[in-house]
Amino acid sequence: MAATVKEGDNTEAEQIVNPWEVASSRGKIDYDKLIDKFGCQRLDKSLIDRVERLTGRPPHVFLRRSVFFAHRDLNDILDAYEKGDKFYLYTGRGPSSEALHLGHLIPFMFTKYLQDAFKVPLVIQLTDDEKCMWKNLTVEESQRLARENAKDIIACGFDISKTFIFSDFDYVGGAFYKNMVKVSKCVTYNKVVGIFGFTGEDHIGKISFPPVQAVPSFPSSFPHLFPGKDSLRCLIPCAIDQDPYFRMTRDVAPRLGYQKPALIESTFFPALQGETGKMSASDPNSAIYVTDSGKDIKNKINKYAFSGGQDSIENHRKYGANLEVDIPVKYLGFFLDDDAELEHIRTEYGAGRMLTGEVKKRLTEVLTDIVERHRRARAAVTDEMVDAFMAVRPLPNMFS
């Protein structure tokens, strides 16, 4: 199943969604088409209510606002959990930049909620090998960026007694590598080309990489964490562009005697300039970074955040804002936790009673607070803490 999604039978327009490229010739990603093409399911209110009932916690804002909007077998994970069977979480980061932007933080913020709510262990994969192969990075630079990114991940507040962070360059071997070989033998060249769209111009490192991202969803890849627990289920929070890896994984898992991993998948955090897929690391003005100062954040929002407001105050008062394209409102939908305040802003701004400048000012306040809190937390993360999270060790209290 290729990751390129046609947008219409009578047009040449396409949206491309795969782990390395997210783009649409029409600008906006059609998530309904992605669900149909990829074969996952829409995350409905009944599942969100069930998460709340089982955990005793209010659903995360990313669940309430459909930021995480699709899933594979989440119902099976919840069935097992309700019967007393635990699971573990697996997510990751491809370390290709010195600093993370807010879009990078979303899966980690949500994964922390899941870890706290379900009281389960977590493995976090740093795919420094992948970025070395896809980007113009040396092995050494990829490894350095992995450690720097690990500091931002740790700053999200993960429980060290339940969390193992690993870099592929450091960890791959032993039981992990055995699982990689097992997966590799189950996936033909034609299959991997069909899933990922590889061409004859791609080097063999790219073609051989998918098993590396697949096998953390098998508990036997971590014998120091899950000895004798080969049937333990895995839940993967990720953006939907990572789905091709796990379609492949779910296809081969039963043939290897493992449970299929379950997924809970998010939309993309849009660029400041508009909803055209993911933000671009090559354009620092397309994103808010965790290293941005309060002044940087204010300037970026005021200058670059695409507005759905009208071209004059008179027209704005008359016609109101187009909320479907307004980036400040979309960003508030991700990060303003107060549902009542968000609805008030949407109502007043949509009716023209609130101006663009007021909405951008409120967004600046919200994002500045998030970034400053993250910066303080990251400053407290030492190299010794990174070493502790990445140490190969048992987690004796991981299910408590």
Side-chain angles (χ1 to χ4, degrees):
M1 185 180 295
T4 300
V5 182
K6 297 288 185 181
E7 291 189 352
D9 294 335
N10 299 319
T11 73
E12 295 181 357
E14 292 181 340
Q15 62 180 23
I16 300 172
V17 177
N18 61 48
W20 313 286
E21 183 180 4
V22 175
S24 171
S25 58
R26 294 183 179 178
K28 189 173 181 179
I29 298 297
D30 188 327
Y31 291 105
D32 289 328
K33 287 186 183 296
L34 273 187
I35 286 177
D36 290 341
K37 185 69 175 180
F38 286 175
C40 45
Q41 295 80 45
R42 176 72 67 170
L43 188 61
D44 60 26
K45 188 175 184 302
S46 65
L47 274 176
I48 296 171
D49 290 344
R50 194 175 179 202
V51 169
E52 180 175 14
R53 178 173 59 81
L54 289 175
T55 63
R57 290 177 177 239
H60 194 278
V61 64
F62 294 161
L63 282 178
R64 300 198 311 268
R65 309 258 175 84
S66 296
V67 173
F68 280 79
F69 74 106
H71 75 99
R72 293 181 183 272
D73 292 348
L74 178 61
N75 49 323
D76 291 346
I77 287 278
L78 298 181
D79 286 346
Y81 185 82
E82 194 163 21
K83 295 173 184 174
D85 296 332
K86 298 292 188 177
F87 62 91
Y88 72 99
L89 297 163
Y90 156 41
T91 194
R93 161 76 184 143
S96 60
S97 60
E98 192 87 32
L100 306 188
H101 58 58
L102 290 180
H104 293 142
L105 285 187
I106 285 170
F108 296 109
M109 295 168 71
F110 186 65
T111 300
K112 181 186 185 304
Y113 155 79
L114 291 174
Q115 183 183 59
D116 293 345
F118 287 100
K119 299 179 174 60
V120 291
L122 162 67
V123 296
I124 299 175
Q125 181 181 39
L126 302 174
T127 55
D128 42 9
D129 52 344
E130 177 196 25
K131 293 308 175 184
C132 180
M133 288 188 284
W134 262 268
K135 304 286 185 178
N136 187 24
L137 296 172
T138 64
V139 169
E140 293 74 20
E141 180 66 359
S142 297
Q143 288 181 297
R144 186 187 72 81
L145 291 176
R147 285 188 64 87
E148 289 303 306
N149 285 189
K151 293 177 182 177
D152 278 308
I153 293 168
I154 292 167
C156 292
F158 292 108
D159 183 348
I160 193 171
S161 71
K162 294 182 173 64
T163 305
F164 173 52
I165 302 175
F166 67 98
S167 116
D168 288 343
F169 277 133
D170 291 338
Y171 186 74
V172 171
F176 195 99
Y177 184 68
K178 290 176 185 177
N179 276 336
M180 285 170 49
V181 171
K182 290 177 183 178
V183 170
S184 297
K185 290 179 68 176
C186 290
V187 183
T188 66
Y189 175 76
N190 285 341
K191 181 77 170 178
V192 82
V193 167
I195 293 173
F196 296 100
F198 295 134
T199 71
E201 300 304 310
D202 287 309
H203 60 68
I204 61 174
K206 293 183 179 182
I207 297 162
S208 66
F209 176 76
V212 184
Q213 189 156 323
V215 301
S217 54
F218 303 151
S220 64
S221 298
F222 305 101
H224 66 288
L225 298 180
F226 311 121
K229 292 187 168 78
D230 289 1
S231 62
L232 191 66
R233 291 179 177 272
C234 175
L235 175 62
I236 305 169
C238 62
I240 198 168
D241 61 330
Q242 300 300 302
D243 190 87
Y245 282 120
F246 302 114
R247 290 203 305 275
M248 183 195 78
T249 307
R250 285 167 55 83
D251 181 57
V252 304
R255 297 157 64 184
L256 301 177
Y258 296 128
Q259 300 270 13
K260 291 182 179 183
L263 281 80
I264 182 166
E265 300 177 313
S266 73
T267 60
F268 305 116
F269 191 58
L272 283 167
Q273 288 84 349
E275 198 168 13
T276 57
K278 295 195 297 185
M279 290 180 281
S280 171
S282 62
D283 180 4
N285 293 321
S286 71
I288 303 295
Y289 285 81
V290 295
T291 51
D292 284 344
S293 67
K295 182 179 179 181
D296 292 333
I297 294 169
K298 180 180 179 180
N299 288 342
K300 284 184 178 182
I301 291 172
N302 285 339
K303 188 173 182 179
Y304 298 109
F306 187 84
S307 171
Q310 302 299 327
D311 56 1
S312 69
I313 292 179
E314 181 182 1
N315 283 339
H316 186 78
R317 297 295 192 198
K318 183 176 181 180
Y319 300 112
N322 180 355
L323 303 183
E324 289 301 310
V325 301
D326 192 90
I327 289 298
V329 167
K330 289 183 183 295
Y331 275 28
L332 287 170
F334 280 82
F335 293 117
L336 179 60
D337 191 61
D338 189 323
D339 290 338
E341 183 183 358
L342 180 65
E343 184 57 31
H344 173 77
I345 291 171
R346 289 179 60 87
T347 300
E348 295 299 298
Y349 188 41
R353 292 186 291 271
M354 180 178 282
L355 300 177
T356 297
E358 297 174 85
V359 178
K360 288 189 172 184
K361 181 176 183 295
R362 183 64 181 119
L363 177 62
T364 299
E365 294 168 351
V366 170
L367 297 191
T368 300
D369 180 63
I370 290 171
V371 169
E372 288 184 350
R373 280 190 283 115
H374 181 85
R375 187 183 294 115
R376 289 194 297 270
R378 192 191 191 283
V381 177
T382 63
D383 286 327
E384 290 74 21
M385 289 173 65
V386 175
D387 291 340
F389 270 93
M390 298 183 74
V392 178
R393 70 212 189 275
L395 300 178
N397 301 316
M398 60 185 174
F399 288 116
S400 62

